Amino acid sequence: MGQQEKVATSLAGSVSEEISASLTAVDAELARRYPGDPGTRQPVHTVYVPGDVFGPGTLRSWGDQALAALDEHAPDATSLAAVLGIPEELAGPVHDRVRAKLEREPVEDLRIDFEDGYGPRPDAEEDEAAARAARLVSEVYANGTAAPYMGIRMKCMEAGVRDRSIRTTDVFLTGLMEAGGLPDGLVLTLPKVTYPEQVTAFVRLLEAFEKAHGLDAGRIGFEIQIETSQSILAADGTAAVARMIDAARGRATGLHYGTFDYSACVGVSAAYQASDHPAADHAKAVMQVAAAGTGVRVSDGSTNVLPVGPTAQVHEAWRLHFGLTRRALARAYYQGWDMHPGHLPTRYAAVYTFYREGLEPAAARLAAYVAKAGGDVMDEPATAKALSGYLLRGIDCGALDTAEVARLTGLTRADLDAFASPRRGDLTVTAP
């Protein structure tokens, strides 16, 4: 130990107290608006099925159709890798994991659609379909065949369909309550939101439902679907999507980009409506910035090019979907929409390739950070958070195994959780 330094100050303690007092309101506002990521699993996709099509065997049917497509058009690791350009060393693990995923859990998030995919119907018909959806969702959760996340997309809050939207939401939620309660994986999607006041109105609807059933305030969350230019840039020049998150009063769980409605809204011709169009990139970038730190997650949209027909045509559609999914992952959009069972093989192939090719570099970098935690640290805590989040997302979707991540990093799942979401509690790392 060297000579102990004399520590001198010039300011009275009251200065620090006054400054802290002046920032109390700001501290509270930061905590309210930017609580950080919730640390829960985010599904890699959302599958949309019309309300009159969804049945008790829908999830398994999608998995079986996806497996059949894989067997017909890319029956082994070599052929799948050749179609999609997967590196040779990853071909086997990716192909095996894709097959296992389609057999075990083909759909991570399913939305029963009462909007565009369902269309206008007589009220009695939609009432019955919404009640049936509630019954079936309750049944699959009860028998263990549900997707991790399930719910409905009702119609929007615009004048022409508002009453129908409210009624469908009420019928569905009431049916769930009568069948035993709301499942933990319940997700609602509010489409075509243009004004923050529409979000406020939906919050009032959920508040009234919670009060009617004695549920905890804030129990029911929902996603906001961004499908209009006004939701990105309001008439006064502000970012309306940021105000929508605030209007949700902590209930917003996601912002979902609607590829085709948004593209049409800004005048993109049908042939060029795609998730990699510059207009789409702009909208999603604004969504991403607005949601950062709020705990609200951003989802990419879909492609309307279906992998059907002769093998050459399926391969072309697969390459497109694989490329769009990889592009989205690199831009930190970790979720997207899948509209056809044939999209599932390339959804998981793209996701698994993304996480497996980065496994060893990410693990080595995180392990190095932990080893230097008490010394000369080059990476910052924010980098450790990003690395841990990357590994956790890979584990959650089945791309990575907890054991292999632990072997490469020396960290437990609890350690990774602590790095990824420090607000859960004090960071305790069990590795040496």
Side-chain angles (χ1 to χ4, degrees):
M1 295 291 293
Q3 181 179 351
Q4 186 172 0
E5 296 290 341
K6 177 183 177 181
V7 177
T9 62
S10 302
L11 302 176
S14 59
V15 174
S16 178
E17 294 173 359
E18 290 170 1
I19 291 173
S20 292
S22 72
L23 292 174
T24 298
V26 170
D27 294 339
E29 185 76 348
L30 281 171
R32 182 184 73 83
R33 289 183 181 273
Y34 303 105
D37 189 85
T40 54
R41 175 181 179 180
Q42 180 181 12
V44 302
H45 68 170
T46 300
V47 164
Y48 282 77
V49 176
D52 58 339
V53 173
F54 176 69
T58 294
L59 296 170
R60 187 62 264 154
S61 174
W62 272 61
D64 291 343
Q65 290 179 68
L67 283 167
L70 190 62
D71 289 341
E72 180 177 357
H73 303 293
D76 52 43
T78 300
S79 57
L80 184 66
V83 173
L84 302 178
I86 298 172
E88 182 179 354
E89 65 275 13
L90 296 179
V94 167
H95 185 270
D96 291 347
R97 286 172 183 269
V98 169
R99 281 201 63 88
K101 180 72 168 181
L102 296 175
E103 292 168 354
R104 181 187 75 254
E105 187 185 75
V107 176
E108 293 196 355
D109 183 29
L110 182 133
R111 209 67 70 248
I112 304 166
D113 192 19
F114 289 93
E115 203 231 356
D116 285 348
Y118 184 75
R121 307 286 181 96
D123 284 340
E125 183 177 343
E126 184 160 339
D127 280 351
E128 184 176 356
R132 176 176 175 271
R135 175 177 60 81
L136 292 174
V137 167
S138 295
E139 288 177 359
V140 295
Y141 272 106
N143 65 27
T145 62
Y149 300 93
M150 297 183 71
I152 65 168
R153 177 172 72 170
M154 68 294 296
K155 292 176 173 62
C156 68
M157 296 300 286
E158 293 178 356
V161 294
R162 183 182 303 136
D163 288 345
R164 185 64 257 178
S165 174
I166 292 171
R167 184 170 176 83
T168 296
T169 304
D170 187 10
V171 170
F172 178 72
L173 293 178
T174 300
L176 292 177
M177 292 298 297
E178 291 182 348
L182 305 181
D184 290 339
L186 174 67
V187 187
L188 304 177
T189 304
L190 181 64
K192 293 182 175 61
V193 182
T194 304
Y195 283 82
E197 289 80 3
Q198 294 167 330
V199 174
T200 299
F202 197 66
V203 168
R204 289 174 182 163
L205 167 63
L206 299 181
E207 288 174 342
F209 187 88
E210 289 166 349
K211 184 176 180 180
H213 288 272
L215 298 172
D216 292 339
R219 166 64 180 85
I220 308 173
F222 62 97
E223 302 164 337
I224 300 170
Q225 204 157 11
I226 304 301
E227 301 178 87
T228 66
S229 61
Q230 295 90 346
S231 59
I232 296 298
L233 188 67
D236 62 1
T238 61
V241 65
R243 301 195 344 254
M244 290 174 183
I245 293 173
D246 193 49
R249 296 170 60 180
R251 293 178 185 266
T253 59
L255 299 176
H256 282 229
Y257 176 69
T259 303
F260 303 103
D261 281 281
Y262 188 91
S263 297
C265 181
V266 296
V268 179
S269 60
Y272 298 97
Q273 292 177 0
S275 61
D276 59 351
H277 189 280
D281 285 340
H282 171 258
K284 287 180 286 188
V286 174
M287 292 162 57
Q288 188 175 55
V289 173
T294 65
V296 178
R297 289 154 167 174
V298 176
S299 172
D300 200 359
S302 63
T303 175
N304 60 357
V305 179
L306 303 184
V308 296
T311 294
Q313 186 173 321
V314 170
H315 285 178
E316 184 176 354
W318 272 358
R319 281 189 287 269
L320 172 65
H321 186 241
F322 181 88
L324 290 174
T325 302
R326 285 300 309 269
R327 184 180 189 273
L329 291 167
R331 285 158 175 77
Y333 309 130
Y334 299 113
Q335 187 174 355
W337 297 4
D338 286 328
M339 311 304 290
H340 187 274
H343 284 139
L344 299 186
T346 38
R347 169 67 60 182
Y348 293 120
V351 170
Y352 289 3
T353 301
F354 176 76
Y355 288 113
R356 293 209 65 81
E357 70 185 5
L359 168 60
E360 292 190 5
R365 192 169 175 182
L366 185 57
Y369 174 86
V370 173
K372 298 176 182 178
D376 183 15
V377 180
M378 295 184 65
D379 279 332
E380 297 183 356
T383 303
K385 178 179 179 180
L387 292 167
S388 298
Y390 174 87
L391 296 172
L392 286 168
R393 284 190 293 271
I395 292 171
D396 285 342
C397 71
L400 311 176
D401 296 328
T402 303
E404 66 179 336
V405 173
R407 175 176 55 81
L408 292 169
T409 62
L411 302 176
T412 66
R413 170 73 192 235
D415 296 332
L416 295 173
D417 284 333
F419 274 122
S421 300
R423 68 188 178 95
R424 288 183 173 183
D426 294 335
L427 179 61
T428 302
V429 178
T430 58

